[in-house]
Amino acid sequence: MQCPMDAAASGTSPVMQFHSIADDSTSHSSPLTTSLERSKRHCHGDGIPGEFPLAVSPSIVLHVLSACDLDPKDLAALEATCTFFSKPANFAPNFALSLPELAAFDMCQKRTMFKLMNEEEKECLKQRCGGSWKHVLRYILVRERNGSRVIAGPGHSIVITTSGDVYSFGANCSGQLGLGDSEDRFKPCLIRSLQGIRITQAAAGSRRTMLVTDTGSVYAFGKDNFRGAELVEAAHTSQITTPKIVESLKGVFVVQAAIGGYFSAVLSREGRVYTFSWGKNERLGHNSDPSDVEPRLLSELEDVPVAYISAGNCYLLMLAYQPNGMSVYSVGCGLGGKLGHGCKTNKGVPKLIEQFQSLSFKPVSISAGTWHAAALGADGRVCTWGWGHTGCLGHGDEEYKAAPTVVEGLRNVKAVHLSTGEYTTFVVADNGDVYSFGSGESLNLIFQEDDEAEEEGPDFSTPSIVESFKALNKKVAQICPTNASYWLNSEMGHPHTFAVMESGELCAFGGGIRGQLGVKLLEGVEKVSSPMHVPIDLS
């Protein structure tokens, strides 16, 4: 009997279809014989074998596995410990695939980026990821779990709702809000010209914004170039005040964009990385002119599927997918040791950060701060490296670290999220506590609550709990600080930070003179040190 895939895989309406597999040995048996045969269907795990009733209808099991959005490692565990899940499911057209493999395929199929691929492209991605649909699903989830729908740019902010609508607010001197003019906004404003287009990811840099759609297109607005922070007068730079599609990327299905201080980068759905400009002297894997606006492929990583990218001021980190665990590559400026290779030299081609292997550290998340970087391990440990100014590495001093070093002050903390700013680092624990370390001057750490304290504020070189969040009595899911050089963007005011709660509520603190906090501050007030509610519904 032909057994069509369920609705999640076929793209039809979400009506649950029941699949049945013909069993010639029992189809014409007596009720007693059928009962005896059914009693032989066992799920063999570590415990005592027992009857597995759902085995009589594998289609129901497939539906449950797909609908529950199980993690790939759970699907793999089912295959490894249970004969029912390890044997072929006999579903057309791929009769040899197991139920966990089919469930992984179904969950991939729910993503537009995967659904729009032809069969050859899907198979190619499968082989790049290790030859399993479970690996493809894990590859996709790495990016989704690393990404954020809230971006604290230098002077302006971008928020994406779950439905794909985009709100912008803050400084708009170059049209970086995409609202058709150059007037600052002090409250979230919907970018109406994008309604009907589902936005999945955003990047914000100095007077520039990039948005990625679920169909792989990239829109950009603000400064009409890809160089990030400009060292020339704004008058010499043309502006785009409404979202404009990036024509040079039309042949690339983009899933993520990043903006550094001197360059921009995008990641394709196949895991290939392209960079714009700042390539002179092979600083970013190519030797093009700094004003070059064409995307250039980092060909050295063409055969390595990159799942996520993170841009600092003058360097790029790339989280690459491997079936046995992720690895991290870096390229660009190595001053301060921020490339993580044990030295302070530049790297013109991407190079693997080898230190993680000696630490038995399996990275699952990365964050490139302006001058320093951090990585989260699968076991909840945190590593930092790069410039240690103001204690932003969390090691109790201001010394630089040229290779990833475990933050000892977080040894008893299981971290689930981290983010880096200019001289600040945030870590969210599994219980919702937020730790931070680095400069208090930027107010990104929201420790300085005494109005009579020194204007520059204190620095914190070891991790400390942010008590201001505890007072909110709400569990924090993500922290999103400004990741840009203050001295290149001083006219935008102090950096700011967003906190996304598990409830979906959004809070902000830090500099707000241009409206980047989503509220208009009182006359004479330039910054706030306690979290403020942002009037926007993320859902």
Side-chain angles (χ1 to χ4, degrees):
M1 177 182 293
Q2 292 295 312
C3 302
M5 297 299 292
D6 66 15
S10 65
T12 58
S13 59
V15 177
M16 179 175 169
Q17 297 184 22
F18 293 89
H19 306 77
S20 61
I21 300 178
D23 186 347
D24 293 336
S25 64
T26 60
S27 58
H28 300 290
S29 301
S30 66
L32 177 59
T33 304
T34 302
S35 178
L36 290 174
E37 290 296 328
R38 287 191 59 192
S39 68
K40 295 178 182 179
R41 297 190 180 109
H42 297 291
C43 177
H44 298 289
D46 294 330
I48 300 174
E51 185 179 6
F52 189 51
L54 284 180
V56 300
S57 185
S59 60
I60 296 179
V61 182
L62 176 59
H63 177 82
V64 171
L65 293 180
S66 302
C68 291
D69 287 332
L70 292 183
D71 191 273
K73 65 181 181 180
D74 296 322
L75 294 174
L78 287 175
E79 267 188 350
T81 59
C82 179
T83 56
F84 172 76
F85 287 107
S86 62
K87 65 183 181 182
N90 290 325
F91 283 170
N94 300 309
F95 293 96
L97 295 184
S98 66
L99 283 173
E101 269 290 278
L102 290 172
F105 178 85
D106 287 357
M107 285 186 274
C108 290
Q109 191 75 3
K110 293 177 182 177
R111 276 74 179 178
T112 303
M113 62 152 275
F114 185 85
K115 187 182 299 184
L116 294 178
M117 301 175 83
N118 60 41
E119 294 305 315
E120 183 179 350
E121 291 170 334
K122 290 177 182 177
E123 186 62 28
C124 180
L125 180 60
K126 178 182 176 182
Q127 296 308 316
R128 281 173 60 81
C129 292
S132 166
W133 294 124
K134 294 187 294 295
H135 290 318
V136 175
L137 177 60
R138 187 182 178 203
Y139 163 77
I140 294 173
L141 290 176
V142 168
R143 186 186 69 258
E144 292 181 352
R145 292 170 179 174
N146 271 274
S148 174
R149 293 185 288 119
V150 181
I151 310 296
H156 73 290
S157 305
I158 302 293
V159 176
I160 305 171
T161 68
T162 54
S163 60
D165 291 331
V166 184
Y167 290 81
S168 61
F169 45 100
N172 196 29
C173 47
S174 296
Q176 60 263 46
L177 298 186
L179 300 172
D181 55 39
S182 57
E183 299 295 321
D184 292 357
R185 298 295 197 281
F186 292 87
K187 64 179 181 179
C189 296
L190 177 66
I191 303 181
R192 299 189 181 280
S193 62
L194 290 174
Q195 286 189 287
I197 300 172
R198 185 181 177 85
I199 302 298
T200 57
Q201 192 265 336
S206 179
R207 303 186 184 90
R208 181 173 179 80
T209 303
M210 297 172 70
L211 301 177
V212 180
T213 73
D214 65 341
T215 56
S217 298
V218 178
Y219 288 84
F221 41 96
K223 287 189 304 181
D224 188 19
N225 61 69
F226 286 93
R227 295 185 59 190
E230 279 293 339
L231 300 180
V232 297
E233 294 297 327
H236 297 291
T237 305
S238 58
Q239 302 174 1
I240 301 173
T241 61
T242 57
K244 179 181 179 181
I245 200 164
V246 179
E247 297 290 339
S248 60
L249 286 170
K250 277 195 169 182
V252 180
F253 194 113
V254 176
V255 292
Q256 188 198 349
I259 301 178
Y262 297 99
F263 68 96
S264 298
V266 297
L267 174 66
S268 77
R269 66 180 172 186
E270 296 82 12
R272 297 186 175 94
V273 180
Y274 299 77
T275 59
F276 300 83
S277 78
W278 212 60
K280 193 174 182 180
N281 299 324
E282 296 186 348
R283 286 177 294 198
L284 285 176
H286 51 79
N287 198 27
S288 61
D289 187 86
S291 61
D292 183 21
V293 295
E294 293 298 316
R296 305 292 179 181
L297 175 68
L298 296 186
S299 57
E300 292 79 9
L301 287 180
E302 189 171 3
D303 296 326
V304 179
V306 174
Y308 183 77
I309 58 177
S310 185
N313 189 61
C314 51
Y315 70 107
L316 180 69
L317 295 182
M318 293 153 282
L319 186 63
Y321 179 81
Q322 295 175 336
N324 59 348
M326 256 69 71
S327 57
V328 182
Y329 290 79
S330 62
V331 66
C333 175
L335 291 179
K338 54 186 176 288
L339 295 184
H341 302 304
C343 60
K344 295 187 288 185
T345 56
N346 299 342
K347 298 296 180 185
V349 295
K351 182 180 179 180
L352 174 70
I353 299 179
E354 299 178 351
Q355 178 70 4
F356 291 121
Q357 296 178 3
S358 61
L359 294 173
S360 297
F361 188 97
K362 296 183 177 181
V364 295
S365 180
I366 55 173
S367 181
T370 309
W371 316 109
H372 73 292
L376 172 65
D379 57 3
R381 287 185 294 167
V382 173
C383 280
T384 58
W385 65 96
W387 291 107
H389 182 61
T390 72
C392 60
L393 299 183
H395 301 303
D397 54 36
E398 295 191 27
E399 299 297 318
Y400 77 90
K401 295 290 187 294
T405 304
V406 175
V407 179
E408 294 295 333
L410 294 171
R411 279 286 187 181
N412 298 321
V413 174
K414 182 175 176 56
V416 295
H417 168 77
L418 55 75
S419 57
T420 51
E422 184 175 21
Y423 295 118
T424 58
T425 305
F426 287 93
V427 173
V428 180
D430 58 351
N431 64 354
D433 285 343
V434 179
Y435 294 80
S436 56
F437 36 97
S439 174
E441 178 180 359
S442 69
L443 283 183
N444 281 88
L445 299 184
I446 60 173
F447 282 130
Q448 184 184 344
E449 297 184 357
D450 185 355
D451 293 336
E452 298 180 359
E454 295 183 9
E455 182 178 349
E456 292 188 352
D459 297 328
F460 300 86
S461 59
T462 57
S464 300
I465 290 182
V466 182
E467 297 294 340
S468 299
F469 286 130
K470 278 188 168 294
L472 295 177
N473 197 29
K474 296 176 182 177
K475 193 171 183 179
V476 176
Q478 282 188 333
I479 302 292
C480 311
T482 299
N483 176 19
S485 174
Y486 175 73
W487 66 271
L488 286 175
N489 300 279
S490 58
E491 74 278 8
M492 301 298 177
H494 292 275
H496 65 295
T497 300
F498 289 108
V500 182
M501 307 301 172
E502 279 195 348
S503 62
E505 182 180 352
L506 185 63
C507 294
F509 51 90
I513 60 172
R514 304 295 293 269
Q516 58 264 51
L517 296 180
V519 294
K520 189 173 181 62
L521 301 181
L522 297 175
E523 186 73 25
V525 178
E526 296 184 356
K527 51 197 176 184
V528 294
S529 58
S530 296
M532 300 177 59
H533 173 72
V534 180
I536 189 172
D537 183 7
L538 285 177
S539 61

